[in-house]
Amino acid sequence: IGLPLYKMEKIQWLAIESINRQEIDVPFEVLIDMEFSERDNAFIQSIGSYIRHPRCVSTGSSVRSEWVPLPVKWKDIAKQARGDVFILQAGDCYSDPKRLHRAYRDIIKQGYDWTQDADGWFYHVQYKKLLRFDQKEKGTGLNMAFRTSLGKDLPESDKTKGIDFWLYSNLDTKKTKWNHGENMSVDTHGYNTISYNRSKYFRTPAPPFFKTEKEITDLLPPDIIEGLGVK
C-alpha cells in the first residue's frame, strides 16, 4: 500500500483506519512518503503503531525536507515496494474493507495489470454532502492498483495535475479491469491539497458526479462518522 501525504494532518487518520479494517489474509506492507512538518512529528515518530492490521508485515516511511510532486512519490514508493500488487491509497479516502481483496483477486488471481472501480462515493467534509461517482469506464477510476513490477521504471515527472492518468499512461498495462458496484469506499474532499475544482460538483453535480439519496451514515462505521464530525 502506497500512502503519500502532504498537509494531511486533519484527515490522514481516515486512510489509516480503513487499512486497519481490511478483510484480507494476504500479508501486506504500508509505505508512507511525506514532507516533514512539526505538526506531523508525533505521527512520523510512531507510524508503525498506527497500522494495527495483523497481516501488515512491515511499515516504512520516507520523510522529505521539502515538497515534491506526487509522481515523484509514486515512483519512489514503487521502487521500494516488495509486494506483487501496488495499491494507490489516498490520504483522505476511506477504503472499504474489501478493497485489498479486490486488487489481489484482479491482479494475482485473474492476471490483470491494472484494476480500478468505475463507481463509488465522494463526501465533502465541510459541506457535509455526499455524491455518487460513476466514471463509466472513461479515463481512470477509483481505488486504483497495478502490478508492482510495472512501476519500477516510471519516468521522472513534475506534473501537478492529471496524475492518475499520467501514471496509467506510463505503465506497460496490457490488461485493465473495471469493477462495477463493488466499491463502498468514500473519497473525501475538503482537506486535500489537489483537486481544488472538485468543490463545484458538490454545488452543481455534473458527470461523473451525481446526486444520491444515500447518506454518509449508510456507508461508514459509526466511529468513523463521528470522527468526520457528522451527527
Side-chain angles (χ1 to χ4, degrees):
I1 302 175
L3 178 58
L5 300 172
Y6 178 65
K7 293 184 177 180
M8 287 283 189
E9 61 274 0
K10 290 183 178 180
I11 198 68
Q12 60 200 18
W13 64 271
L14 185 68
I16 291 171
E17 277 304 313
S18 73
I19 292 171
N20 288 332
R21 301 173 193 219
Q22 290 298 303
E23 298 174 2
I24 192 167
D25 291 328
V26 177
F28 64 87
E29 63 181 347
V30 179
L31 299 176
I32 296 172
D33 193 316
M34 64 189 300
E35 288 78 5
F36 177 77
S37 165
E38 288 294 345
R39 293 169 297 183
D40 284 321
N41 194 39
F43 173 75
I44 293 169
Q45 297 300 320
S46 55
I47 284 173
S49 66
Y50 289 94
I51 309 295
R52 304 184 303 274
H53 197 288
R55 300 302 284 166
C56 180
V57 295
S58 67
T59 59
S61 59
S62 296
V63 182
R64 301 176 184 271
S65 59
E66 58 185 15
W67 176 87
V68 298
L70 188 53
V72 175
K73 291 184 176 182
W74 284 135
K75 178 177 180 177
D76 287 354
I77 295 173
K79 288 167 66 175
Q80 299 174 53
R82 297 177 297 166
D84 295 322
V85 180
F86 189 98
I87 305 289
L88 288 84
Q89 173 67 54
D92 57 350
C93 297
Y94 184 90
S95 293
D96 73 82
K98 296 292 187 181
R99 183 186 175 188
L100 294 191
H101 168 79
R102 288 197 299 279
Y104 182 81
R105 174 199 68 193
D106 294 347
I107 294 176
I108 301 302
K109 298 292 187 180
Q110 297 182 3
Y112 288 94
D113 298 314
W114 175 282
T115 178
Q116 57 195 351
D117 293 315
D119 44 23
W121 308 92
F122 275 80
Y123 180 73
H124 199 302
V125 179
Q126 285 81 22
Y127 294 178
K128 301 192 184 305
K129 186 174 182 179
L130 183 72
L131 292 178
R132 179 69 174 165
F133 175 92
D134 192 345
Q135 187 72 334
K136 300 186 184 300
E137 298 195 13
K138 298 178 181 178
T140 53
L142 304 176
N143 290 345
M144 296 165 288
F146 59 85
R147 194 175 300 278
T148 304
S149 59
L150 301 179
K152 299 293 186 180
D153 297 312
L154 282 166
E156 301 292 335
S157 174
D158 58 0
K159 286 181 68 68
T160 57
K161 296 180 179 179
I163 310 303
D164 295 343
F165 188 72
W166 168 86
L167 185 60
Y168 178 74
S169 300
N170 283 281
L171 295 172
D172 186 21
T173 54
K174 294 180 174 62
K175 293 182 64 179
T176 297
K177 172 76 177 291
W178 285 91
N179 290 311
H180 296 267
E182 294 186 77
N183 179 23
M184 298 301 288
S185 303
V186 176
D187 289 53
T188 69
H189 185 75
Y191 287 134
N192 65 2
T193 55
I194 57 176
S195 304
Y196 291 115
N197 291 331
R198 192 180 290 148
S199 286
K200 67 182 180 183
Y201 293 107
F202 288 91
R203 295 189 293 270
T204 307
F209 297 93
F210 302 88
K211 292 181 179 180
T212 178
E213 296 298 320
K214 280 191 176 292
E215 301 288 343
I216 191 65
T217 50
D218 298 323
L219 300 172
L220 296 178
D223 60 327
I224 300 299
I225 293 290
E226 183 178 356
L228 289 174
V230 181
K231 296 181 180 180

